[in-house]
Amino acid sequence: RDPNQMDRLTETYSLKIKVSHATIRGLKFLGNPLSNNWHACIERVGKDLDDLLVTQCMFAGDPDALNIYCPAIATGDRFVVDHCIFYNCHTSAVYWDGLEGITSKGCAMRYSIVYGGLIAGPWTCRTAEDFEFHHNIITRCEYFWMRKPGDSQRYRIRDCILTDNRYYSGYGVASGPTGQTGPEVTFNEKNVINKGDVVLEKNKTARSYLHVVPGSPGSDLGAGLISK
């Protein structure tokens, strides 16, 4: 890098996917390779792309140092996040604008844990209302849900734990949140718990590291890397 440009923001990516029908399974992503850098672990951006499954992956950032800005971001149809953990990242999964204004269909986030999101849990942008969102735990985030300004889709949420988030729903652009949504945005919720302190296993040697401890809200959802 040019030493005269060290104060400028950079972008890096761990995996850039340019094809349809891809699965990323069982990987652990830790932190960020550079300071003052927007790091995305998994990116799929392109025209007419379909079917990306991110499953059984862990994304662990450091909010005070080299953090992960965007663990997973994709355009196109059937971007599915399943049984993943997002710990102290800026966001979790970003369902980005389809190219040429195309609405993305068949996307999902399920059985995942988002803890300490510096911006939000899921971030939707021109994502169809068939978005599948269930058996997730979103806690200690700035916003529970972020969306593109002007988007007012009504998404279904079921069987989730959504606690200790500073704000519920907000609008945002690439550089960050622009404010809370208003009455134009509502969700269709079923079996959603908004109270309780979610406790994660912090012992790094434990098989259940960063999973919900027994007896804590959400311990019976089957969220995280370990399927029940």
Side-chain angles (χ1 to χ4, degrees), residues 25-219:
R25 185 190 310 271
L27 297 182
K28 180 185 289 186
F29 298 88
L30 300 175
N32 186 333
L34 297 169
S35 61
N36 198 27
N37 177 63
W38 282 0
H39 182 60
C41 300
I42 299 170
E43 181 211 55
R44 183 193 72 179
V45 176
K47 188 176 180 180
D48 299 327
L49 293 176
D50 179 33
D51 184 22
L52 170 62
L53 173 62
V54 179
T55 184
Q56 300 284 329
C57 290
M58 178 182 290
F59 307 85
D62 182 342
D64 299 318
L66 303 179
N67 51 64
I68 298 172
Y69 188 78
C70 181
I73 181 170
T75 62
D77 294 338
R78 292 195 295 169
F79 171 31
V80 175
V81 174
D82 171 81
H83 283 287
C84 288
I85 294 176
F86 305 87
Y87 181 73
N88 285 338
C89 302
H90 273 80
T91 58
S92 56
V94 177
Y95 298 80
W96 206 18
D97 279 1
L99 300 184
E100 300 177 354
I102 298 173
T103 297
S104 300
K105 299 180 176 63
C107 298
M109 183 174 181
R110 60 202 182 207
Y111 293 100
S112 293
I113 298 172
V114 182
Y115 185 102
L118 302 179
I119 294 180
W123 192 327
T124 52
C125 304
R126 204 182 297 276
T127 308
E129 290 185 344
D130 67 353
F131 186 70
E132 180 186 341
F133 191 89
H134 61 83
H135 291 87
N136 297 307
I137 298 170
I138 316 291
T139 185
R140 292 177 173 82
C141 298
E142 182 74 2
Y143 288 84
F144 150 53
W145 191 300
M146 187 67 62
R147 63 177 68 208
K148 178 183 177 180
D151 286 357
S152 58
Q153 295 92 327
R154 191 167 191 253
Y155 296 112
R156 295 184 299 275
I157 302 171
R158 65 177 177 87
D159 302 304
C160 289
I161 307 293
L162 313 174
T163 67
D164 291 331
N165 301 298
R166 185 176 182 184
Y167 305 112
Y168 201 72
S169 174
Y171 291 122
V173 295
S175 58
T178 59
Q180 298 182 66
T181 59
E184 74 284 357
V185 171
T186 59
F187 296 88
N188 182 356
E189 300 184 9
K190 181 179 180 180
N191 297 329
V192 174
I193 296 176
N194 299 113
K195 296 181 180 180
D197 183 24
V198 175
V199 180
L200 301 187
E201 175 61 66
K202 298 297 182 65
N203 181 0
K204 293 184 178 180
T205 65
R207 181 174 181 268
S208 58
Y209 177 57
L210 295 186
H211 288 77
V212 182
V213 302
S216 173
S219 59

